[in-house]
Amino acid sequence: IKAEISTFSAHPLQKFNAEFNAVVKSIRIADKAMGEIETNIEQMESEVEMFIKQYPPFPPGSEDRIKYLSRFAMLRKQIDQLTFPPDAGAQTIMGQSSQGHPNAWEIKIGGMKSGQLIRTHSLHAGQGGLGIPEITPQANDGQVHEFKKSLDAARQTVVKSRAELAEDAFRMIRSAE
């Protein structure tokens, strides 16, 4: 007895698996980027705290003050760069593009809507995102204190976004089972 299995019979299942795995990969990449953003914010919080507690304070224009303020600006710029991961799905999750839903990515597998949505999260550093103000080497102490206040709120936003992404991923995986 000879049994032949057509390559086309398994094709829809293989295509589903490949597309589903691509979505999971995008979620993983977005989560990793969010984790790196959270790490950058924590690093900024630590460095801002050291800057503020410095006694006597760094005088305006001093080399050490400029070094710290430049470091804050560099970390803020890295956050913006992390919101553009090298994966189109991850970029959608990070709020860089929307496909029909302004606050969610509608999952399509096999060209058909799966009925599942992954919430998008605008995590760029500026307004409408994390709200971390730009800081320049000429920033005064008041601006540094405002910068410090914004970091706590930004970190909380990232933690909340990661938790929502995990919920969405779990829900999507459960529905595929």
Side-chain angles (χ1 to χ4, degrees), residues 28-159:
R28 197 174 305 122
I29 291 169
D31 181 63
K32 183 179 180 205
M34 288 180 189
E36 290 176 21
I37 289 170
E38 186 177 357
T39 299
N40 279 3
I41 292 170
E42 288 169 352
Q43 187 174 356
M44 278 194 280
E45 284 179 315
S46 173
E47 291 183 20
V48 167
E49 193 66 32
M50 287 185 343
F51 179 88
I52 290 173
K53 288 185 175 183
Q54 175 67 32
Y55 191 81
F58 296 118
S62 75
E63 188 177 312
D64 288 332
R65 181 182 183 95
I66 291 171
K67 184 177 96 177
Y68 265 102
L69 295 174
S70 296
R71 175 96 173 122
F72 303 154
M74 182 198 67
L75 288 168
R76 184 186 185 279
K77 185 176 180 179
Q78 284 179 356
I79 288 172
D80 278 335
Q81 290 171 347
L82 287 166
T83 61
F84 286 97
D87 177 87
Q91 286 180 14
T92 301
I93 293 168
M94 300 294 288
Q96 297 305 329
S97 65
S98 68
Q99 302 168 345
H101 294 275
N103 297 319
W105 176 28
E106 187 171 22
I107 304 300
K108 293 181 182 177
I109 297 178
M112 299 177 63
K113 296 177 183 178
S114 71
Q116 296 298 316
L117 298 174
I118 304 292
R119 289 172 275 193
T120 60
H121 308 275
S122 187
L123 297 177
H124 61 86
Q127 295 296 36
L130 295 174
I132 301 171
E134 289 191 42
I135 196 148
T136 65
Q138 297 78 28
N140 61 38
D141 289 341
Q143 291 169 313
V144 172
H145 285 282
E146 286 302 312
F147 184 77
K148 180 182 184 289
K149 287 179 189 176
S150 72
L151 292 175
D152 183 52
R155 186 176 35 76
Q156 290 176 17
T157 298
V158 175
V159 167

